Amino acid sequence: MIANEIFHLSILFLMDTRLFIVNNYVWWAGWRKELLMLSNIIKNRFWFLKALETYSLAIYFIVKRSTGIFDWDHSPLSVLDDPPFIFALAVVGTIALVYALWDVRHLYYKQIMTATLTFVWLAFFLSFCANDELRGVYLSFPGIYSFFVLIGIVIELRWE
């Protein structure tokens, strides 16, 4: 709690002298929209991290495809590592990033964002599990990673 207040005070001191804090959010008395965006990142840090994790999954598939190392031949991952699905991952990550940065509050944006994130991570978790089963591996690191990301999304939805 003290570190959070020190962080807010350092923002106040470094950025602008016309700032004030109300209910743990940084507000400004001028034209600096960056501070409102920083306040939204602080408030929506969970969804910001989920956006970065979704981008990391896309980067994982890009690196896997560019190195030419394929350990799946006849599994769902042979379809899900294609460029259209990697692009879809980037789109879902961008949807989550937009919510985290601008805190969109209309047109059921949060429900759409959480539904797309849950669907994407569930699809990739199931495909990682199917791939591991076909290879005879108990559970690989990408499967465990996607499981914990999916569980984190479900728990966060339950708490809100």
Side-chain angles (χ1 to χ4, degrees):
M1 190 65 164
I2 294 172
N4 194 12
E5 292 173 2
I6 291 172
F7 178 72
H8 286 301
L9 291 176
S10 64
I11 293 171
L12 291 175
F13 181 72
L14 293 175
M15 299 300 279
D16 197 350
T17 57
R18 298 174 292 169
L19 299 174
F20 54 95
I21 297 176
V22 176
N23 294 333
N24 269 348
Y25 297 113
V26 178
W27 298 92
W28 75 98
W31 51 269
R32 294 199 163 201
K33 299 233 182 222
E34 299 88 17
L35 294 174
L36 181 62
M37 191 175 291
L38 183 62
S39 174
N40 288 337
I41 288 175
I42 292 169
K43 185 172 99 177
N44 299 320
R45 63 186 170 270
F46 176 81
W47 299 112
F48 181 73
L49 291 175
K50 294 304 164 194
L52 295 180
E53 289 169 351
T54 306
Y55 284 135
S56 72
L57 184 63
I59 290 170
Y60 169 77
F61 281 117
I62 289 171
V63 168
K64 199 77 157 160
R65 180 169 276 284
S66 66
T67 57
I69 301 171
F70 299 109
D71 53 357
W72 49 79
D73 290 329
H74 303 289
S75 75
L77 284 178
S78 64
V79 175
L80 291 178
D81 73 334
D82 291 338
F85 289 102
I86 295 172
F87 180 74
L89 274 174
V91 167
V92 170
T94 304
I95 289 171
L97 188 66
V98 165
Y99 178 77
L101 293 178
W102 285 285
D103 198 24
V104 181
R105 293 284 181 191
H106 59 281
L107 297 176
Y108 300 105
Y109 192 85
K110 185 173 183 181
Q111 289 83 1
I112 292 169
M113 179 219 33
T114 55
T116 56
L117 273 175
T118 305
F119 173 74
V120 162
W121 281 101
L122 180 63
F124 279 96
F125 170 67
L126 292 176
S127 64
F128 282 131
C129 287
N131 183 46
D132 293 341
E133 181 65 32
L134 290 173
R135 288 180 42 216
V137 178
Y138 287 119
L139 198 56
S140 63
F141 177 74
I144 295 170
Y145 178 72
S146 61
F147 173 75
F148 281 113
V149 170
L150 181 64
I151 291 300
I153 291 171
V154 172
I155 289 173
E156 181 69 21
L157 289 176
R158 182 75 175 151
W159 281 344
E160 285 186 354

